[in-house]
Amino acid sequence: MLLQLARRTLVFALSLLLASAVVFAFMAVLPGDPARVALGVQATPEALAATRAEFGLDQPLVAQYLDWIGGLIRGDLGRSYVTRADIGPQVFDRLQVTAWLVLAGMLVALVVALPVGILAAVRHRRVSGMMLSGASQIGMAVPSFLAGILLVSVVSVQLGWLPSGGWVVPAEDPVQFLRRLILPALALGIVQGAVVTRYVRSAVLDVMREDYLRTARAKGLGPYRALIKHGLRNAAIPVVTVLALQLATLLIGAVVVERVFVIPGLGSLLLDGVGNRDLLLVQSVVMVLVIAVLLVNYLVDVLYAVLDPRLRRAG
Amino acid sequence: MRRSLRYTTAAAAAGVLLLAGCGAGSGDDAADSTDDTGQSGEGTGEDTPAGEPTALTVGFTAEPANLDFTTTDGAAIPEALLVNVYEGLVKLDQDTGEIVPLLAESWEVSEDRTTYDFALREGVTFSNGEEFTADDVKFSIERVQSDDWTVSLKSGMDVVESVEVLSPTDVRVELSEPSNRWLFSMTTRIGAMFTPTGVDDLANEPVGTGPYVVDEWNRGDSIALAANDDYWGETPAIEAVTLRYFADPTAANNALLTGDIDVIGTVQAPEALGQFEGDERFQVIEGTTNGQVTLSFNNESGPMSDVRVRQAVKHAIDHDALLETAWAGRGYLIGSHVPPTDPWYEDLTDLYPYDPERARDLLADADAENLTLDFRIANLPYAVASAQVVASQLAEVGITAEIEPLEFPARWLDEVFTNADYDMSIVAHVEPRDIGIFADPDYYFRYDSGEFQDLLAEADAGTEDEQVEAMREAARLLAEDAAADWLFLQPNLVVAAADVAGLPENRVGEPFDLTGISRS
């Protein structure tokens, strides 16, 4: 058991290291001189040189990489080339915004996926079940940004029910916060919900074929009752896994949805950063995202090992 | 037992509806109040009662990276802060483009045009409470010359030899040589007045003498300006202005349609104007800017170094059709690097009439038939749209223009601007009175004309009349030499709620001047 844990931790750490090298390499080959972009066409050659020296851009790549990694380990994300402000607090601010989006998107996904998935499974031989399953197929094909644009043009512009974008800090004005959260959460969540619906459906279908469920039915329980009493807990395991993995997709979806809804989250920070060649900022944001995804996977792994004795033994 | 699931489903559905219902309900309330005040309550967090509108939200495209224009380039910072938060001794009149007094009540220029005596306004204070005196003028001007300023616009201050404080309200500036450009550049960001106690954290805490102060900055979203209670001049009609930033023009349009913002300061997608025109809730303002959408040529190397080829390209372009196709007919045709708001503007659009026959002849003369050009443009909407029209028109006269959009700013700056690795490019040059960029042979046009440089120097040193005369000549020379082609002048397109008055029609200088805006 401890050996298992150590092995998974090692894999986690190695993945992080590998990811950081890849991220750094991608930034390094991106064309464009960060100092020039930060200072603009009006910059004097002296100012350019000073900025390069200030941020260590004149150092060899390996030194820059080690410097960055060293900072990351110490919890110091460095300073932005463009705003000259510390990156850490910015990322933290933006992460809070994006976290709300991801959570709300997840909630919407669950609200959609659980009932629809279960119904589609139980009725999989009937027309209604097939229609539900077909609808989820279509839902999966709709990209979040398209869903976002549609929602804005109908709900905001045509009907005037909700704002078309922008962001309010929840503590400042909870009502405005919720009003501005609903549409982006729907845009994110509906697509995710369609994906998760598929997994819920197949997980429930699998469970329904299990012997213990047949036994339960034989004892006289109705199909839904039997499912709720004996099946759902078992069906939950693959669904929870999928949800954890979907976090990554949700984060990526949030990047796009933030653009459509003018939300100052990590995604906007990332896109602006790329445009401004604020490489250190981009590296750090990407690393934060990578860490989040890897951490979720790692925790899921560990939880499995802890919770499920069979997996622990099989290793 | 099927019922239990039905209940669950029904309950879940009801929950969803309830959620949507709540949103819709409160949405209606807020939409009403938005209609009254045009202010969403977001950002400044205060809704004003109907009839007393004192708040305004303006949408822009490019958010400032920080608030310090002394070290960070780009139009976004002075757009937001100059005149509104920072003031100079002089400013540009929005209507006439003339230099008018601001913190200086008046000034006198010596006979030899090298000594400027400014009489300063009394009772002016900075937003941190410091009094504005002649010492601050000396401090601000000398600071531009120091290493604290890093944008190369600072070279506009090179001509200043000394600044002398004559009294708390009198200051004398000595120039090393006569320069009309200097007083003009005092209307730009380098003329902004600072106090020594207010420059510690310019990137986050601007301290100026203007009618507004920066109240709150929500990075990635908005900047809230609040009226400066101790302002020396007339208090602006709008007490709270929120500048909101939209990377996506559609998002800005939607925000205006839903009443989230009151004004789009610079419309980036002219084809979208249709949805606002003829809608009585909105007004559309169309004026001029300083943004010349320039078809730049590499004058130094490659096929474009031959003047006949450059002239052929100019003759081959039907500018009317281009403007119509690429920018929905919004904008102005100009024949040189001068907008109509400059005193020396002259209509030069007839110099190179659309004449494909003549273009073919010129190309034949230059032995440049079947020419292929590297057409490396900025990947910005106006540039991409224009490039396609240019390329198809050039194809008619036998020139193949291979369009390559380069990510702006990063790649474009690297390859076209810094290395001049291009034959033709398209980008808008938006700085006011920036014809001088053609006088620098190292600038990416690589245009090197002694005659042109002399004319600019002459204009700078002469009297006002001499300046106008020489500038006019310089602009004509530039056009005749076909140093570049000017596809069109970007229009100043502003869409606003119908009750907003006093919006600037033309953009003559750097700032988006908020001081004259009011609501009825």
Side-chain angles (χ1 to χ4, degrees):
Chain A
M1 168 73 189
L2 272 181
L3 194 70
Q4 283 289 325
L5 212 62
R7 210 170 75 187
R8 293 210 155 103
T9 310
L10 190 68
V11 169
F12 173 62
L14 284 178
S15 324
L16 276 184
L17 200 64
L18 186 69
S20 72
V22 170
V23 168
F24 183 84
F26 269 117
M27 293 302 128
V29 299
L30 214 58
D33 173 3
R36 168 64 83 184
V37 180
L39 299 182
V41 297
Q42 304 284 354
T44 58
E46 300 81 50
L48 284 175
T51 301
R52 288 199 192 101
E54 184 185 348
F55 289 101
L57 289 167
D58 50 355
Q59 302 289 315
L61 282 178
V62 176
Q64 290 187 41
Y65 173 70
L66 290 178
D67 199 38
W68 176 55
I69 287 297
L72 278 185
I73 291 168
R74 289 193 310 273
D76 173 14
L77 302 190
R79 270 189 325 136
S80 150
Y81 304 155
V82 180
T83 63
R84 285 161 196 272
D86 283 335
I87 293 170
Q90 284 190 66
V91 170
F92 182 68
D93 279 359
R94 302 297 191 96
L95 191 61
Q96 288 178 346
V97 173
T98 303
W100 278 113
L101 268 187
V102 170
L103 280 179
M106 191 66 96
L107 189 72
V108 171
L110 280 177
V111 168
V112 172
L114 287 184
V116 176
I118 293 172
L119 267 179
V122 174
R123 306 189 165 194
H124 68 282
R125 285 207 187 83
R126 294 196 227 164
V127 178
S128 59
M130 287 175 195
M131 276 172 67
L132 282 176
S133 145
S136 73
Q137 202 76 274
I138 294 170
M140 278 167 70
V142 180
S144 316
F145 77 88
L146 188 63
I149 291 170
L150 286 174
L151 282 169
V152 168
S153 56
V154 175
V155 180
S156 300
V157 177
Q158 299 294 326
L159 301 172
W161 287 353
L162 289 170
S164 60
W167 189 252
V168 176
V169 180
E172 222 166 69
D173 188 342
V175 177
Q176 288 295 330
F177 162 72
L178 278 178
R179 296 185 60 226
R180 278 160 212 273
L181 184 64
I182 291 173
L183 289 187
L186 284 177
L188 261 181
I190 288 174
V191 183
Q192 290 300 318
V195 176
V196 179
T197 299
R198 313 283 310 164
Y199 285 97
V200 172
R201 178 178 176 273
S202 73
V204 172
L205 272 179
D206 284 349
V207 167
M208 281 164 60
R209 293 194 192 100
E210 293 282 347
D211 290 342
Y212 58 81
L213 211 70
R214 205 176 301 146
T215 315
R217 290 292 305 277
K219 285 195 300 183
L221 284 181
Y224 289 106
R225 186 69 180 264
L227 198 58
I228 289 166
K229 243 186 140 158
H230 300 280
L232 283 190
R233 192 173 300 168
N234 285 305
I237 293 177
V239 171
V240 168
T241 316
V242 166
L243 283 180
L245 296 178
Q246 287 296 318
L247 263 184
T249 348
L250 269 174
L251 272 173
I252 293 158
V255 171
V256 179
V257 164
E258 280 171 17
R259 205 58 159 192
V260 174
F261 288 95
V262 204
I263 293 170
L266 269 189
S268 312
L269 190 66
L270 190 65
L271 288 182
D272 292 344
V274 173
N276 291 328
R277 286 297 181 274
D278 204 344
L279 297 188
L280 200 54
L281 177 93
V282 174
Q283 272 164 230
S284 303
V285 174
V286 172
M287 250 345 260
V288 166
L289 293 177
V290 169
I291 291 171
V293 171
L294 287 179
L295 195 65
V296 167
N297 287 348
Y298 170 67
L299 289 180
V300 168
D301 272 358
V302 170
L303 273 180
Y304 271 12
V306 173
L307 291 182
D308 192 330
R310 282 172 301 176
L311 288 172
R312 209 184 304 164
R313 244 175 286 127
Chain B
M1 280 301 152
R2 191 170 285 174
R3 273 169 59 199
S4 68
L5 185 81
R6 266 199 204 136
Y7 285 136
T8 324
T9 323
V16 172
L17 285 177
L18 199 67
L19 205 75
C22 283
S26 58
D28 283 339
D29 298 343
D32 288 342
S33 73
T34 301
D35 283 344
D36 292 337
T37 65
Q39 216 267 343
S40 61
E42 183 263 337
T44 58
E46 47 194 358
D47 263 27
T48 41
E52 300 174 62
T54 55
L56 187 80
T57 306
V58 187
F60 289 105
T61 25
E63 187 191 7
N66 63 61
L67 300 181
D68 181 7
F69 54 63
T70 72
T71 56
T72 310
D73 198 23
I77 316 175
E79 179 173 67
L81 299 188
L82 208 59
V83 174
N84 302 319
V85 173
Y86 290 109
E87 292 179 313
L89 298 179
V90 286
K91 78 166 187 173
L92 277 189
D93 185 281
Q94 304 244 18
D95 301 320
T96 62
E98 273 173 46
I99 299 171
V100 294
L102 191 56
L103 287 179
E105 241 163 1
S106 62
W107 65 92
E108 272 171 35
V109 189
S110 68
E111 194 76 20
D112 66 355
R113 310 190 62 76
T114 57
T115 307
Y116 286 74
D117 281 334
F118 292 95
L120 305 181
R121 223 170 268 285
E122 282 180 61
V124 175
T125 52
F126 286 95
S127 56
N128 68 355
E130 296 279 348
E131 204 177 329
F132 166 73
T133 67
D135 290 321
D136 298 309
V137 179
K138 184 176 165 66
F139 167 75
S140 300
I141 291 178
E142 287 176 351
R143 195 163 181 277
V144 178
Q145 296 177 317
S146 78
D147 289 340
D148 290 330
W149 276 70
T150 60
V151 296
S152 82
L153 268 184
K154 66 182 274 183
S155 65
M157 211 56 103
D158 288 352
V159 68
V160 173
E161 189 131 286
S162 66
V163 187
E164 195 182 339
V165 174
L166 304 175
S167 81
T169 56
D170 289 288
V171 67
R172 168 172 295 169
V173 178
E174 297 275 3
L175 305 186
S176 56
E177 57 187 40
S179 172
N180 291 311
R181 216 165 41 222
W182 176 72
L183 192 63
F184 176 79
S185 63
M186 290 299 283
T187 69
T188 70
R189 61 192 103 167
I190 67 171
M193 289 296 136
F194 297 88
T195 168
T197 57
V199 292
D200 296 337
D201 187 12
L202 289 175
N204 299 293
E205 299 278 341
V207 176
T209 60
Y212 290 99
V213 293
V214 173
D215 188 30
E216 201 184 349
W217 181 19
N218 297 307
R219 261 165 241 249
D221 182 60
S222 59
I223 295 174
L225 302 178
N228 174 3
D229 294 333
D230 299 322
Y231 185 54
W232 59 269
E234 205 179 313
T235 317
I238 311 283
E239 283 167 11
V241 181
T242 307
L243 312 175
R244 273 190 62 192
Y245 294 95
F246 297 86
D248 175 35
T250 316
N253 292 344
N254 288 333
L256 184 62
L257 285 170
T258 54
D260 237 17
I261 61 174
D262 309 303
V263 181
I264 299 179
T266 43
V267 175
Q268 296 294 310
E271 67 279 3
L273 280 180
Q275 62 187 317
F276 300 108
E277 278 169 331
D279 185 332
E280 59 185 18
R281 292 176 298 163
F282 303 108
Q283 53 176 321
V284 176
I285 295 168
E286 192 171 340
T288 65
T289 65
N290 293 313
Q292 296 95 352
V293 176
T294 309
L295 176 67
S296 28
F297 304 146
N298 187 341
N299 283 262
E300 184 184 56
S301 58
M304 301 308 283
S305 59
D306 188 325
V307 66
R308 290 166 297 187
V309 178
R310 301 200 298 269
Q311 290 175 324
V313 168
K314 293 184 78 152
H315 275 303
I317 294 172
D318 180 351
H319 290 80
D320 283 300
L322 180 135
L323 182 60
E324 200 55 50
T325 317
W327 217 232
R330 315 278 179 158
Y332 306 85
L333 299 186
I334 46 169
S336 189
H337 206 83
V338 180
T341 39
D342 281 352
W344 40 84
Y345 171 76
E346 185 183 10
D347 185 355
L348 297 171
T349 48
D350 291 342
L351 278 185
Y352 289 91
Y354 175 54
D355 189 348
E357 209 44 55
R358 175 108 186 86
R360 277 187 213 101
D361 291 347
L362 281 162
L363 287 171
D365 267 5
D367 236 354
E369 288 127 325
N370 301 319
L371 197 60
T372 301
L373 298 175
D374 285 338
F375 196 11
R376 315 188 76 196
I377 60 170
N379 70 336
L380 300 171
Y382 63 82
V384 174
S386 303
Q388 281 156 356
V389 183
V390 169
S392 79
Q393 292 184 346
L394 291 186
E396 308 250 318
V397 299
I399 298 176
T400 312
E402 289 182 340
I403 301 175
E404 184 189 355
L406 299 177
E407 187 203 1
F408 188 86
R411 276 195 76 198
W412 187 87
L413 278 179
D414 245 17
E415 297 181 28
V416 175
F417 186 81
T418 309
N419 300 333
D421 180 9
Y422 77 109
D423 292 324
M424 292 198 304
S425 184
I426 297 181
V427 79
H429 288 276
V430 298
E431 305 287 342
R433 300 199 185 168
D434 56 355
I435 193 172
I437 54 182
F438 286 95
D440 176 2
D442 291 331
Y443 212 75
Y444 78 105
F445 309 120
R446 304 283 154 109
Y447 172 67
D448 193 357
S449 158
E451 197 186 348
F452 180 78
Q453 290 154 22
D454 290 346
L455 279 170
L456 282 204
E458 199 182 309
D460 202 25
T463 64
E464 222 166 281
D465 290 343
E466 285 163 355
Q467 183 192 19
V468 169
E469 191 49 45
M471 288 302 278
R472 197 167 280 171
E473 230 175 292
R476 177 176 275 276
L477 175 67
L478 201 60
E480 281 169 351
D481 265 0
D485 188 41
W486 294 273
L487 297 176
F488 59 91
L489 186 76
Q490 284 178 327
N492 181 40
L493 295 174
V494 181
V495 189
D499 68 332
V500 180
L503 286 162
E505 184 176 313
N506 298 328
R507 284 290 289 276
V508 290
E510 294 190 296
F512 189 91
D513 193 337
L514 300 163
T515 54
I517 301 179
S518 61
R519 309 191 70 172
S520 51

